Amino acid sequence: MGCRQHVEDELNKVPGVRKATVDLAAQEAVIEMEEHISLSALQKALADGGGNYEIMRPEDKKKIPEKKKVKDTGPGVYYCPMHCEGDKTYDRPGDCPVCGMDLVKEASTQPAKVKYTCPMHPEVVEDAPGACPICGMDLVPMEPEESEEDENYKNLVRKFWVAMIFTFPIFIIAMSEMIPGNPLYSWLDLRYWNWIQFFLSIPVVFYATWMFFERAYRSIVTWNLNMFTLIGIGAGMAWIFSVVGLLFPGVFPEQFKEGGVVHVYFEAATVILTLVLMGQVMEARAHQKTNSAVRELLKLAPNQAVRVVDGKEEVIAIDQIMVGDVLRVKPGEKIPVDGSILEGESSIDESMITGEPIPVTKTPGDPVHSGTINGHQSFLMNAEKIGSDTLLSQIIEMVNKASRSRAPIQRLADKISAYFVPAVVLIAVITFIIWALVGPEPAYVYAFVNAVAVLIIACPCALGLATPMSVMVGVGKGAQSGVLIKNAEALEKMNKVDTVVVDKTGTLTEGRPTVERIGTAGERFSEKEVIRKMASLNQYSEHPLATAIVDFADAQNVDIEEVKDFEAVTGKGVQGKVDGTVVGLGNRALLSSLGVDLPAAVEESALAEQRQGKTISFLTIGDEVAGYVVISDKIKETSKRAVAELQEHGIDVIMFTGDNPETAAAVAQELGMTRFEAEMLPEDKMRGLERLQKEGRTVAMAGDGINDAPALAQSDVGIAMGTGTDVAIESAEITLVKGDMHGIVKAVRLSEKVMTNIKQNLFFALIYNSLGVPVAAGILFPFFGLLLSPMIAAAAMSFSSVSVIVNALRLRRVRLE
């Protein structure tokens, strides 16, 4: 507070400054001046006042190179794939402190930075393309470094092969007992074979799978019991029992011995650990696939671009691009950053971010986005958004956050897991006691083996993976189809939506209105004067209707006048003073607030246009209506089909619009909508949503403007059009990149598929554990003489996790069209 006040005081002392307001959090200062004051003068005032501050224009601030942002240069963000602590992240790799799983690195919003080297002198490494300083040859891109995710996977594979090499002979030695006249015993006595198994097990236990015991120990110390608790206890007991039996056989009763030698379980311990490690390898591989959507998005952005300076072209690395640079995009190339076309035209393939396969024709002034692919013509573009500000980077960031979020349905799995591990340990103890008391001889051997089998087969890994795996794959699939999910809760809620409320302009319609004609009220005001006043008022407004009027005035070569005391009246229109006279432009609500009556002749003409679905805004000068403007906004081609498909899903579609009832009725009739509400202010839309929610409906709201933001926040699921305002997108939980109604249909289908997949995973995991634990405990033995070996239990446990992962990966192939 003191810093802010100090800066404001120093700036307000500068001669010519009317008022200075500082927002340190936003790093902004708004300065009202009597006349222009140079930045150097303002900077000097701050320096003289003892402040170490730098002042610059907003457009200059955007030109600060992206590499200065801490977020992009840090070590990365790591999260638990099972989301044990929600969306909590960690600064460095390791194990989850709750479940023990390997932390996964979140994909960066920036493509990997490419280094360049000389093919003749590999010691030369540069950040940008150019010539070798030694031999002059062109530098070539180096192969990208392996990601941490790939390194972790390869490390696990390496350990798995070590475990396999040493476990396989242990398994052969142990299983040879089943061969009549065991040929191995003719070479060496059983006692020596046990020693060989012991030495072979050491690399498996203390190198390849030692991490499992570390995780088990941490889980017990912190009392975050998890799958590694059961693995560590089960396999650890088997190995320690075998070592003690080998070194101190005299401490065991005779029923544990065979020919005076204690029966060891080195093969059970090592095979169990190796199978669990195999499961970890398969899961690591699966996590690579679940993040493939993000990696594919990252590949869309090129690593270099062609910058045009003073008519000369130069190849630069993408992180050297600054806002305002002019870039050349050649045929077939990927567009490097967000911006707009300056010169030339081309067809752009935007399917990678919108999901729509048909190329879009772009002409000067049209926006283009990073990662989209140019067609067969070259053009110049202006760089407007770079680094993490591009649409592609924002999509990747949203996918990352959504992938880490927890769906409410996961609470069921969390509650079960909290009691599951202690219950399994208790069941293992009870199993041991029952078999020791009433089991056949050797009772203690049966008791020990079955208790270990219970601990191994009951690992809750599949239960923990059931929800996050489906969410991660589903969110990635949505991103590839142009449906961006902000969090997993929105994905779950969307499956329960029974009512969709939509705005009209920009949601059902193109949002690019055009002026059809200008009408005057009587002979007092000429058409040119009406156009001038309308355009003058709208020169300060960013509303699509205002833009249409200003563009129309430009086409008519009408000069625009200065406006004072300009004010945008939300939901009504705009007003201000032109030549000292109050001028207003808006709907009937604005006329009422200004106390201006609408002439009958003008009202009749307006109604005739409104019945055709057109929008009318009235111009007032002083206390009378001077004229009106007829504006049309074409309904999107996909809107009618989308409304019909939502209705087929049993979802009621309602239109809330600030437009007049006649226009709203015409649009609703054309789209086949049975219910709409018109002339709604932002607060009216919010109250309308509250009414629907009180009726017991689950409501999704789709909109694109600032006036839709309150309703988007109030709805159960807010859906923003990607072509709309940043405020609307921030208020929503789902963003449709292309900005058409068919995206809502995709979101509904995606939600249905993901929730069905999650329920399947939970069913598989719960049924598996419900059946596996009793079988491992030996419930089938009295009836069929069947027992479950701890090794088979370990294989089944790994298979359960893999089955959940494979089922989740099926979402990558679902059709959302």
Side-chain angles (χ1 to χ4, degrees):
M1 179 67 184
C3 293
R4 179 184 64 79
Q5 190 63 53
H6 172 74
V7 176
E8 286 183 354
D9 291 344
E10 294 302 324
L11 290 175
N12 281 313
K13 291 177 184 177
V14 178
V17 173
R18 289 179 179 174
K19 183 181 179 182
T21 306
V22 175
D23 184 347
L24 289 182
Q27 297 183 333
E28 292 179 351
V30 179
I31 304 173
E32 297 179 16
M33 312 176 190
E34 296 175 358
E35 57 186 18
H36 177 70
I37 303 172
S38 67
L39 289 180
S40 59
L42 296 172
Q43 188 71 57
K44 185 176 183 298
L46 291 177
D48 293 343
N52 184 22
Y53 306 98
E54 183 179 0
I55 190 166
M56 62 183 73
R57 299 182 185 90
E59 59 267 27
D60 294 332
K61 182 181 176 183
K62 290 181 181 179
K63 292 184 181 181
I64 297 175
E66 195 68 22
K67 61 185 179 182
K68 288 188 178 180
K69 294 186 178 181
V70 175
K71 180 180 177 182
D72 292 331
T73 59
V77 177
Y78 301 85
Y79 65 96
C80 173
M82 297 175 79
H83 310 304
C84 297
E85 296 179 278
D87 58 358
K88 182 176 179 180
T89 57
Y90 305 86
D91 293 332
R92 53 182 61 86
D95 303 332
C96 171
V98 177
C99 72
M101 292 283 285
D102 285 322
L103 298 178
V104 178
K105 186 179 181 182
E106 175 188 275
S108 168
T109 58
Q110 297 300 310
K113 186 174 180 179
V114 175
K115 298 284 187 179
Y116 296 83
T117 186
C118 174
M120 300 295 293
H121 301 88
E123 69 274 13
V124 175
V125 178
E126 301 288 346
D127 292 332
C132 173
I134 299 175
C135 66
M137 288 189 66
D138 287 332
L139 300 179
V140 296
M142 296 176 66
E143 288 295 321
E145 295 179 0
E146 282 189 347
S147 67
E148 289 182 22
E149 199 172 46
D150 291 333
E151 289 179 1
N152 178 59
Y153 171 70
K154 288 189 175 182
N155 184 47
L156 286 174
V157 169
R158 184 165 53 250
K159 289 184 175 181
F160 171 70
W161 283 114
V162 170
M164 278 289 293
I165 290 170
F166 288 95
T167 298
F168 185 71
I170 296 175
F171 179 76
I172 294 298
I173 293 170
M175 292 300 104
S176 66
E177 295 179 4
M178 302 175 64
I179 303 174
N182 190 339
L184 294 183
Y185 290 173
S186 62
W187 300 347
L188 290 173
D189 187 68
L190 174 61
R191 181 180 295 101
Y192 298 110
W193 283 117
N194 287 349
W195 277 100
I196 292 174
Q197 290 185 65
F198 166 66
F199 286 115
L200 289 172
S201 71
I202 290 176
V204 178
V205 173
F206 291 97
Y207 169 69
T209 63
W210 182 247
M211 58 185 175
F212 298 156
F213 296 102
E214 290 179 331
R215 295 174 183 179
Y217 173 76
R218 282 200 301 271
S219 72
I220 295 171
V221 170
T222 60
W223 205 243
N224 290 316
L225 305 182
N226 52 55
M227 62 173 286
F228 296 105
T229 313
L230 303 180
I231 293 169
I233 294 174
M237 283 175 56
W239 192 81
I240 293 172
F241 173 92
S242 302
V243 172
V244 174
L246 188 64
L247 298 176
F248 309 104
V251 301
F252 290 93
E254 287 302 317
Q255 60 181 268
F256 277 91
K257 299 177 182 179
E258 181 180 338
V261 178
V262 176
H263 185 82
V264 294
Y265 294 95
F266 289 118
E267 91 287 351
T270 54
V271 171
I272 287 168
L273 292 170
T274 301
L275 288 171
V276 173
L277 182 57
M278 181 182 70
Q280 293 286 290
V281 170
M282 297 179 73
E283 286 177 21
R285 181 63 176 163
H287 284 305
Q288 287 182 317
K289 291 183 179 180
T290 58
N291 283 326
S292 62
V294 174
R295 285 198 295 273
E296 289 302 315
L297 288 170
L298 282 169
K299 291 177 183 177
L300 297 177
N303 292 307
Q304 59 186 37
V306 177
R307 181 166 60 190
V308 180
V309 181
D310 297 329
K312 295 182 179 180
E313 296 183 359
E314 58 178 357
V315 178
I316 60 172
I318 193 169
D319 58 353
Q320 292 179 306
I321 299 173
M322 290 190 176
V323 173
D325 282 350
V326 177
L327 307 175
R328 166 78 66 184
V329 183
K330 298 178 181 179
E333 289 185 343
K334 294 176 181 177
I335 296 171
V337 294
D338 288 4
S340 57
I341 294 180
L342 291 174
E343 182 182 310
E345 63 179 63
S346 187
S347 58
I348 309 294
D349 179 0
E350 297 184 333
S351 60
M352 60 287 300
I353 59 174
T354 65
E356 300 298 328
I358 301 174
V360 181
T361 301
K362 300 282 186 175
T363 57
D366 287 342
V368 290
H369 298 292
S370 171
T372 55
I373 302 174
N374 185 22
H376 302 293
Q377 293 175 280
S378 174
F379 62 84
L380 293 177
M381 64 170 288
N382 180 50
E384 296 173 355
K385 292 182 178 180
I386 61 177
S388 59
D389 292 332
T390 65
L391 174 62
L392 181 60
S393 294
Q394 291 171 2
I395 290 174
I396 295 169
E397 182 67 21
M398 189 175 290
V399 173
N400 277 333
K401 289 182 178 178
S403 297
R404 292 202 314 264
S405 61
R406 290 158 68 88
I409 196 173
Q410 192 171 341
R411 293 173 191 151
L412 171 63
D414 292 343
K415 288 181 180 178
I416 295 172
S417 297
Y419 299 100
F420 190 76
V421 175
V424 168
V425 174
L426 180 61
I427 292 171
V429 171
I430 294 172
T431 299
F432 182 88
I433 294 171
I434 292 175
W435 276 93
L437 293 177
V438 299
E441 294 298 332
Y444 283 102
V445 173
Y446 279 115
F448 177 77
V449 171
N450 289 326
V452 170
V454 168
L455 290 171
I456 298 301
I457 201 169
C459 289
C461 184
L463 188 63
L465 287 172
T467 299
M469 288 297 296
S470 297
V471 169
M472 193 179 301
V473 180
V475 166
K477 177 66 178 179
Q480 291 177 325
S481 304
V483 179
L484 306 183
I485 311 295
K486 188 173 286 187
N487 55 59
E489 185 174 0
L491 199 58
E492 181 173 340
K493 283 183 179 178
M494 197 67 202
N495 191 47
K496 302 175 183 177
V497 166
D498 53 29
T499 305
V500 172
V501 174
V502 293
D503 178 45
K504 179 178 75 71
T505 304
T507 303
L508 295 171
T509 65
E510 295 283 358
R512 293 194 295 269
T514 56
V515 174
E516 284 199 1
R517 69 182 184 88
I518 301 291
T520 60
E523 299 179 356
R524 182 174 175 185
F525 300 99
S526 67
E527 182 177 318
K528 189 171 184 178
E529 180 66 14
V530 170
I531 296 173
R532 178 180 291 110
K533 292 293 191 292
M534 288 180 177
S536 298
L537 268 180
N538 280 311
Q539 64 182 304
Y540 301 116
S541 175
E542 296 180 356
H543 194 282
L545 299 182
T547 303
I549 293 170
V550 173
D551 290 344
F552 183 79
D554 288 341
Q556 300 293 320
N557 295 319
V558 174
D559 296 330
I560 293 178
E561 300 174 297
E562 183 182 356
V563 177
K564 294 183 178 179
D565 300 332
F566 173 82
E567 180 184 1
V569 185
T570 305
K572 298 179 181 180
V574 293
Q575 64 185 55
K577 287 185 179 180
V578 180
D579 293 332
T581 304
V582 175
V583 179
L585 179 65
N587 53 26
R588 286 185 175 87
L590 181 68
L591 300 186
S592 299
S593 65
L594 294 173
V596 178
D597 294 326
L598 182 63
V602 176
E603 184 174 17
E604 185 177 343
S605 299
L607 281 172
E609 300 286 357
Q610 289 169 344
R611 291 191 186 102
Q612 299 178 43
K614 298 171 184 176
T615 299
I616 306 296
S617 291
F618 302 99
L619 176 72
T620 66
I621 300 178
D623 58 356
E624 59 183 314
V625 173
Y628 60 92
V629 58
V630 180
I631 298 176
S632 61
D633 189 7
K634 183 182 176 182
I635 294 175
K636 294 177 182 177
E637 295 179 0
T638 55
S639 293
K640 187 170 185 178
R641 179 165 66 97
V643 170
E645 290 182 5
L646 289 172
Q647 290 171 340
E648 288 174 6
H649 268 79
I651 297 174
D652 191 12
V653 185
I654 304 172
M655 179 172 64
F656 282 4
T657 178
D659 217 331
N660 62 83
E662 290 78 15
T663 301
V667 172
Q669 182 178 1
E670 183 173 347
L671 294 175
M673 299 167 64
T674 58
R675 183 174 172 183
F676 67 88
E677 295 187 35
E679 295 184 339
M680 299 189 79
L681 300 175
E683 55 267 29
D684 296 327
K685 291 182 180 181
M686 191 167 66
R687 283 195 289 266
L689 284 171
E690 289 176 346
R691 287 198 307 271
L692 293 171
Q693 289 169 331
K694 287 179 181 177
E695 293 174 9
R697 298 179 183 231
T698 303
V699 186
M701 166 71 188
D704 73 327
I706 294 175
N707 61 326
D708 297 320
L712 289 170
Q714 172 64 37
S715 64
D716 294 293
V717 181
I719 304 173
M721 300 294 151
T723 51
T725 64
D726 291 340
V727 175
I729 292 172
E730 283 298 317
S731 302
E733 294 169 296
I734 296 176
T735 300
L736 309 179
V737 175
K738 192 178 179 185
D740 68 50
M741 280 282 290
H742 190 63
I744 302 178
V745 178
K746 290 182 181 179
V748 169
R749 289 176 179 164
L750 178 65
S751 176
E752 288 178 350
K753 297 291 185 183
V754 171
M755 293 311 300
T756 300
N757 195 270
I758 289 174
K759 290 172 183 176
Q760 290 169 348
N761 285 347
L762 289 174
F763 175 79
F764 292 154
L766 291 171
I767 286 295
Y768 169 83
N769 283 314
S770 298
L771 297 177
V773 171
V775 172
I779 196 172
L780 299 179
F781 185 78
F783 308 101
F784 306 103
L786 296 176
L787 286 177
L788 192 66
S789 162
M791 291 182 290
I792 297 176
M797 183 274 294
S798 295
F799 176 76
S800 70
S801 298
V802 172
S803 65
V804 165
I805 293 170
V806 170
N807 187 52
L809 290 174
R810 291 192 307 112
L811 289 170
R812 299 167 66 194
R813 299 192 298 271
V814 302
R815 293 181 58 85
L816 301 181
E817 295 297 330

